Amino acid sequence: MELALTAVLFSLLAKAFHGSPPVLPFNLSSTNVRAINLDSVCGRPQATGRIMLGQDAQLGEWPWQVSLREYEEHVCGGSLITEDWVLTAAHCFDREQPLSAYFVLLGSISSYPTASEPQELQAVAQFITHPSYQEEYGSGDIALVQLASPVNFSDLILPVCLPKPGDPLGHGTLCWVTGWGNIDMNLPLPPPFTLKELELPLIDTQTCDTYYHENSYIPSQEPIILEDMLCAGFESGQKDACGGDSGGPLVCDIGGVWTQTGIVSWGSECGKPKRPGVYTNVSAYTTWILSTIQSSAPEDRSFSPSLAVIVFLCLVFASGTTGGTPVSLGLA
């Protein structure tokens, strides 16, 4: 419930910044807004039916999944967290490219949909990388993308819930990663470029760090898997994210609500034994996400009492105070 409320408040917060009332999901009117079950606003796709082994996803299964595009080419995944904010990896952006080079594709199951397929293309108003991010494979591989205009929630476009700060899940928890990346090393996803999904267990930081130190030149006392990272996969490899999946979400079903636990960040090739995928731990950055969106409000718009209450409630709820051929999804 706390996770869903956080996303709702996020939604209200984003709309408050734009000086307009929040868009209600599923074409609900203001007359019955009070009847909305808040748990249904985030992390509640209308489509169901998971497919194992990195096979095709179904339309509407993962309505928060977006494609980050550079000059019309898919470069990374991402996840919708409010009507106009997307969460992705910091290394997805080329700082030498102008902001106008980037777009976000939403509501599509294909990274290159035909004109007749459901889709919404949005320009990017700004992207904000975490201040601690320095280079690929380092700490702080997380970024926020603000869309040029808010989207309307629907069965195909819906936000994912965010975790409470510092609240990682336990070793072995089964979660799902989605993306349009390579289906094996140097093997791009073929047409019709349908979104792939893969179920993976979480691996605790100590175990994952031990894996990565095997056959490595890095001293055992020097951590490879940092505190803001988490891992998912199998000791034997075989199933993994791969090139082009970066920035995409790793989501876990928590009490019937899909919550984003990780962001595809890096790895050692794809599907190698004892080299699981490494993800940015979203719970380590929930507070940064909230505060960054808050501070991105235009200066010429007043911070109203109602908006202050929304931000306060966001922080309160977020803090919790109230053996075969490797099968890859497709990790840049």
Side-chain angles (χ1 to χ4, degrees), residues 182-220:
N182 294 347
I183 56 176
D184 205 342
M185 282 298 298
N186 303 315
L187 183 60
L189 181 69
F193 310 106
T194 304
L195 183 70
K196 299 292 183 179
E197 61 184 14
L198 180 63
E199 188 178 36
L200 297 169
L202 298 183
I203 301 174
D204 67 83
T205 301
Q206 183 176 355
T207 299
C208 189
D209 192 64
T210 300
Y211 287 164
Y212 268 90
H213 273 100
E214 289 189 20
N215 302 315
S216 170
Y217 65 88
I218 300 176
S220 59

Side-chain angles (χ1 to χ4, degrees), residues 1 37 62 84 108 116 131 159 161 166 212 299:
M1 183 66 174
N37 182 342
W62 314 105
D84 58 349
S108 176
S116 62
C161 296
Y212 268 90
E299 294 181 0

Side-chain angles (χ1 to χ4, degrees), residues 49-51 54-62 109 177-180 194-198 329:
R50 311 294 168 218
I51 303 174
Q55 296 186 23
D56 291 352
Q58 298 179 16
L59 187 64
E61 262 191 300
W62 314 105
I109 199 173
V177 61
T178 50
W180 288 287
T194 304
L195 183 70
K196 299 292 183 179
E197 61 184 14
L198 180 63
L329 262 178

Side-chain angles (χ1 to χ4, degrees), residues 4-318:
L5 288 172
T6 299
V8 174
L9 295 170
F10 246 151
S11 170
L12 295 173
L13 177 60
K15 279 300 179 183
F17 287 156
H18 286 278
S20 59
V23 175
L24 303 179
F26 311 123
N27 299 317
L28 292 174
S29 66
S30 58
T31 58
N32 58 5
V33 62
R34 293 179 181 177
I36 299 175
N37 182 342
L38 296 182
D39 281 339
S40 69
V41 177
C42 77
R44 294 276 186 167
Q46 300 305 294
T48 59
R50 311 294 168 218
I51 303 174
M52 297 292 289
L53 300 178
Q55 296 186 23
D56 291 352
Q58 298 179 16
L59 187 64
E61 262 191 300
W62 314 105
W64 43 81
Q65 177 78 45
V66 307
S67 167
L68 179 65
R69 316 176 78 73
E70 182 182 302
Y71 293 112
E72 303 182 359
E73 295 290 326
H74 168 81
V75 292
C76 276
S79 54
L80 187 70
I81 57 173
T82 75
E83 290 98 333
D84 58 349
W85 287 93
V86 164
L87 193 61
T88 189
H91 78 262
C92 288
F93 295 96
D94 184 346
R95 297 179 183 275
E96 296 182 358
Q97 298 292 345
L99 189 63
S100 59
Y102 291 98
F103 288 85
V104 173
L105 176 69
L106 308 97
S108 176
I109 199 173
S110 172
S111 55
Y112 294 97
T114 63
S116 62
E117 293 178 308
Q119 60 188 281
E120 182 170 341
L121 193 64
Q122 285 272 353
V124 173
Q126 64 172 325
F127 63 82
I128 304 171
T129 58
H130 193 271
S132 69
Y133 178 72
Q134 296 295 328
E135 59 184 14
E136 199 168 341
Y137 307 153
S139 181
D141 190 14
I142 185 172
L144 284 165
V145 181
Q146 186 175 28
L147 306 179
S149 60
V151 298
N152 292 322
F153 292 158
S154 69
D155 288 353
L156 301 182
I157 300 178
L158 196 67
V160 67
C161 296
L162 294 175
K164 292 184 293 185
D167 188 27
L169 298 176
H171 178 88
T173 301
L174 292 174
C175 302
W176 290 80
V177 61
T178 50
W180 288 287
N182 294 347
I183 56 176
D184 205 342
M185 282 298 298
N186 303 315
L187 183 60
L189 181 69
F193 310 106
T194 304
L195 183 70
K196 299 292 183 179
E197 61 184 14
L198 180 63
E199 188 178 36
L200 297 169
L202 298 183
I203 301 174
D204 67 83
T205 301
Q206 183 176 355
T207 299
C208 189
D209 192 64
T210 300
Y211 287 164
Y212 268 90
H213 273 100
E214 289 189 20
N215 302 315
S216 170
Y217 65 88
I218 300 176
S220 59
Q221 64 270 23
E222 183 178 335
I224 297 175
I225 308 302
L226 307 179
E227 292 182 355
D228 70 333
M229 301 176 184
L230 58 83
C231 301
F234 299 90
E235 181 178 356
S236 60
Q238 304 179 34
K239 303 175 185 180
D240 200 1
C242 205
D245 287 328
S246 284
L250 175 73
V251 299
C252 310
D253 186 343
I254 303 176
V257 176
W258 289 101
T259 303
Q260 184 166 354
T261 298
I263 301 170
V264 180
S265 181
W266 63 275
S268 178
E269 300 185 12
C270 305
K272 293 290 184 181
K274 294 190 176 181
R275 292 295 186 270
V278 184
Y279 300 75
T280 301
N281 184 350
V282 177
S283 71
Y285 293 100
T286 304
T287 302
W288 174 79
I289 294 168
L290 284 164
S291 62
T292 300
I293 291 178
Q294 173 190 344
S295 64
S296 296
E299 294 181 0
D300 58 346
R301 292 178 183 163
S302 61
F303 191 80
S304 66
S306 60
L307 180 56
V309 170
I310 291 171
V311 173
F312 171 75
L313 289 174
C314 278
L315 295 173
V316 168
F317 282 114

